[in-house]
Amino acid sequence: MRSPEKALGRAETRRALASLIDRGRLAGVVFEHTVTPLYSLVPQGVVGHSTAFFDRYPEADAAYAAGRLRSAGITTPVRIRLGHQNGIAAVEARALKEQWEKDGPFRVELVEERDFTTYQKRSLKGEFDVHLYQWIPDFPDADTFVQPLVGTGNVLGNGYTSAEVGHAIRDTQRFTDRSKAMQRLRAVQDTIAKDAPPDSRLAQTAPCRDAFHRPGRTSPRRGHHLAAVGTPQTLRGFGPLKALGL
């Protein structure tokens, strides 16, 4: 996203990619119904949840994707590199590749990296156009799903910035009564669905093994999986962004 010359540097390309994701199939076939399709940054059960991605991309739509690319004058197939780790992440990556390549709008090269530290370093170098992560919040509030992922200086470090989103996020942080922030939080998610920088796909409420937490720790915490467009920056010890599938 740092440059329009990159494969996913243009919003229309990202919208086309987002419109091809079949969340129901990922949840059912890849994760065997242990996760729930997610259509926003904020999961169900947290104040501020919406269905912004469903409202904009209600089902996998190859015709819509082709139309978006054609109207923007983008030559197809668009070639992208999808970075992932091993285990279930590799299964999900193969499923995404199948969905994105259907009818030919994209050609996806899968790049597997087993070591998480190396995976982060390769992402930082910009070796992947898209990479898979799971986000585990530190507390059950919408802000922990929004500000770190799409706010100014977000942990994905993908170059995405929006004055509209930044202003709305700061506005939501004024309210201790979180219900008063709901309208603004939903407005943020509407903008994110339009711009499609990270794409939240699946929500999970289940005991997560150490791959999703710090060593030696398991916890039945809510989390969600996302496809991040661009390059993530190092988390400097915060630790909620973990590779999916170790």
Side-chain angles (χ1 to χ4, degrees):
M1 291 178 61
R2 295 182 182 279
S3 169
E5 297 177 0
K6 295 288 187 180
L8 299 179
R10 297 177 65 177
E12 292 294 353
T13 313
R14 299 193 302 275
R15 289 171 191 147
L17 203 67
S19 71
L20 292 171
I21 296 177
D22 185 340
R23 289 167 170 77
R25 184 168 178 79
L26 291 176
V29 176
V30 176
F31 291 93
E32 299 180 344
H33 301 288
T34 59
V35 297
T36 303
L38 180 64
Y39 295 94
S40 70
L41 289 171
V42 181
Q44 286 182 291
V46 177
V47 173
H49 168 71
S50 77
T51 56
F53 274 88
F54 181 82
D55 296 340
R56 184 169 285 270
Y57 318 106
E59 59 184 16
D61 190 337
Y64 173 89
R68 294 265 58 88
L69 296 171
R70 186 169 53 251
S71 66
I74 297 170
T75 302
T76 59
V78 179
R79 299 184 182 276
I80 60 175
R81 304 186 82 209
L82 172 56
H84 63 88
Q85 294 215 271
N86 58 317
I88 192 66
V91 180
E92 184 181 13
R94 289 194 294 271
L96 285 169
K97 172 182 168 69
E98 180 182 350
Q99 292 181 12
W100 286 337
E101 289 187 340
K102 184 178 180 180
D103 295 333
F106 293 93
R107 284 291 178 267
V108 182
E109 177 188 356
L110 298 180
V111 184
E112 180 174 310
E113 175 54 64
R114 291 177 175 241
D115 179 72
F116 178 59
T117 301
T118 305
Y119 184 59
Q120 271 201 313
K121 289 179 179 178
R122 294 183 69 181
S123 298
L124 281 166
K125 291 178 181 177
E127 291 189 25
F128 315 127
D129 297 304
V130 183
H131 38 269
L132 305 183
Y133 283 105
Q134 185 189 54
W135 179 257
I136 301 293
D138 284 332
F139 49 91
D141 184 84
D143 191 63
T144 196
F145 291 98
V146 175
Q147 167 59 38
L149 297 179
V150 298
T152 302
N154 65 73
V155 298
L156 299 178
N158 57 14
Y160 177 73
T161 181
S162 165
E164 178 184 356
V165 167
H167 176 75
I169 289 175
R170 290 190 296 274
D171 209 19
T172 67
Q173 294 169 341
R174 298 187 297 113
F175 299 101
T176 54
D177 180 350
R178 302 307 284 153
S179 65
K180 294 181 179 179
M182 186 179 300
Q183 184 176 351
R184 294 168 180 82
L185 286 165
R186 288 178 174 172
V188 168
Q189 291 170 92
D190 287 343
T191 301
I192 295 306
K194 174 175 64 72
D195 293 347
D199 192 337
S200 301
R201 304 181 313 283
L202 305 165
Q204 178 178 35
T205 305
C208 298
R209 298 193 180 278
D210 294 355
F212 301 147
H213 296 283
R214 288 178 281 275
R217 180 177 173 185
T218 58
S219 173
R221 303 168 70 187
R222 288 183 184 272
H224 64 250
H225 307 264
L226 65 152
V229 179
T231 55
Q233 65 184 35
T234 304
L235 297 180
R236 299 188 174 93
F238 288 101
L241 184 64
K242 299 295 181 181
L244 173 63
L246 287 176

